[in-house]
């Protein structure tokens, strides 16, 4: 696993040992960033269910201003911090050791507004809808922001979730990338 583009291009990232994480493949990561390229520069991103930090680090490498990394696994948090330090993005990064719901609430209390929310929860665990509902309830996404969800093809997502509308969806093997926005 590596950083694909930007100022940290080609840098190899670590992964936690074991089977608890499923890092996004380079092919899927490239597809995600091709779809959302106009949103990246100077954005504030939230990498929920962060695992290795690969997605948030890719966003920083491509010009995002700030990234929040969230995971509830101690080993993942350790690897995320190592990867952030290695790519020299410590000053632009905040790592939260908690579950996604708690992180969203904490970010709301801090009056943080996010431009891009990346979600790559464990597949088929029914975490997507409750998380997006929490994002809406806490109002942490900017009006022109987007939510990028990486999920299993068996985990079909509705066209609308609250005020968010599905604006794009692409299949890559057994993985779907679904993007939501308030805009149609």
């Amino acid at each position: 696993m590596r950083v694909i583009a930007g100022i940290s291009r080609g840098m190899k990232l670590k992964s936690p040992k074991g089977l608890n994480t499923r890092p996004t493949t380079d092919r899927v990561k490239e597809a995600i960033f091709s779809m959302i390229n106009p949103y990246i520069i100077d954005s504030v991103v939230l990498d929920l269910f962060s695992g290795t930090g690969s997605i948030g680090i890719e966003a920083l490498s491509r010009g995002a201003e700030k990234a929040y990394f969230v995971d509830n696994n101690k080993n993942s948090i350790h690897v995320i911090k190592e990867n952030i330090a290695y790519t020299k993005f410590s000053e632009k990064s905040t790592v939260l050791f908690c579950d996604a719901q708690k992180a969203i609430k904490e970010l709301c209390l801090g009056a943080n507004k996010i431009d891009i929310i990346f979600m790559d929860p464990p597949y088929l665990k029914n975490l997507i809808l409750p998380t997006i509902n929490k994002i809406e309830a806490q109002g942490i996404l900017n009006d022109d922001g987007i939510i990028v969800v990486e999920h299993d093809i068996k985990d079909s997502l509705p066209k609308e979730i609250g005020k968010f509308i599905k604006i794009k969806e692409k299949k890559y093997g057994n993985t779907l990338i679904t993007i939501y926005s308030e805009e149609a």
Side-chain angles (χ1 to χ4, degrees):
M1 179 179 46
R2 63 187 173 85
V3 180
I4 296 170
I7 61 175
S8 296
R9 181 179 185 192
M11 295 181 89
K12 293 188 183 219
L13 302 175
K14 293 183 178 183
S15 286
K17 294 188 186 333
L19 302 174
N20 290 337
T21 58
R22 176 194 29 77
T24 301
T25 65
D26 286 352
R27 177 177 172 243
V28 171
K29 191 176 1 175
E30 182 61 49
I32 289 169
F33 283 92
S34 291
M35 288 191 282
I36 66 165
N37 190 47
Y39 296 92
I40 295 293
I41 300 297
D42 297 328
S43 63
V44 176
V45 302
L46 172 58
D47 186 355
L48 292 173
F49 310 97
S50 196
T52 64
S54 153
I55 296 292
I57 289 169
E58 187 74 35
L60 290 169
S61 181
R62 291 174 184 243
E65 183 61 36
K66 169 91 177 150
Y68 294 93
F69 298 84
V70 176
D71 207 288
N72 65 358
N73 179 289
K74 191 187 324 181
N75 293 330
S76 289
I77 291 295
H78 179 73
V79 169
I80 292 165
K81 288 179 178 179
E82 284 185 9
N83 285 335
I84 289 168
Y86 174 65
T87 54
K88 298 182 178 27
F89 288 126
S90 296
E91 290 184 18
K92 293 184 169 195
S93 302
T94 300
V95 180
L96 301 171
F97 177 37
C98 58
D99 67 31
Q101 300 279 327
K102 184 176 179 188
I104 292 165
K105 186 174 180 181
E106 284 183 22
L107 290 168
C108 175
L109 293 174
N112 295 289
K113 284 290 190 173
I114 309 296
D115 299 305
I116 305 169
I117 298 175
F118 296 103
M119 291 177 49
D120 183 8
Y123 282 7
L124 303 171
K125 299 286 185 186
N126 297 318
L127 295 169
I128 298 169
L129 294 179
T131 303
I132 292 176
N133 287 328
K134 184 74 167 187
I135 290 165
E136 180 180 19
Q138 297 295 322
I140 65 166
L141 187 67
N142 276 326
D143 291 341
D144 58 349
I146 58 172
I147 301 169
V148 180
V149 185
E150 180 180 339
H151 57 101
D152 190 276
I153 58 172
K154 295 177 200 156
D155 205 356
S156 168
L157 296 179
K159 183 175 168 67
E160 295 181 25
I161 303 173
K163 66 181 178 180
F164 301 115
I165 298 166
K166 187 187 297 185
I167 59 171
K168 201 175 281 190
E169 187 169 74
K170 292 227 177 188
K171 179 183 169 191
Y172 300 91
N174 289 331
T175 298
L176 271 177
I177 303 300
T178 304
I179 301 176
Y180 287 93
S181 174
E182 285 189 51
E183 306 169 8

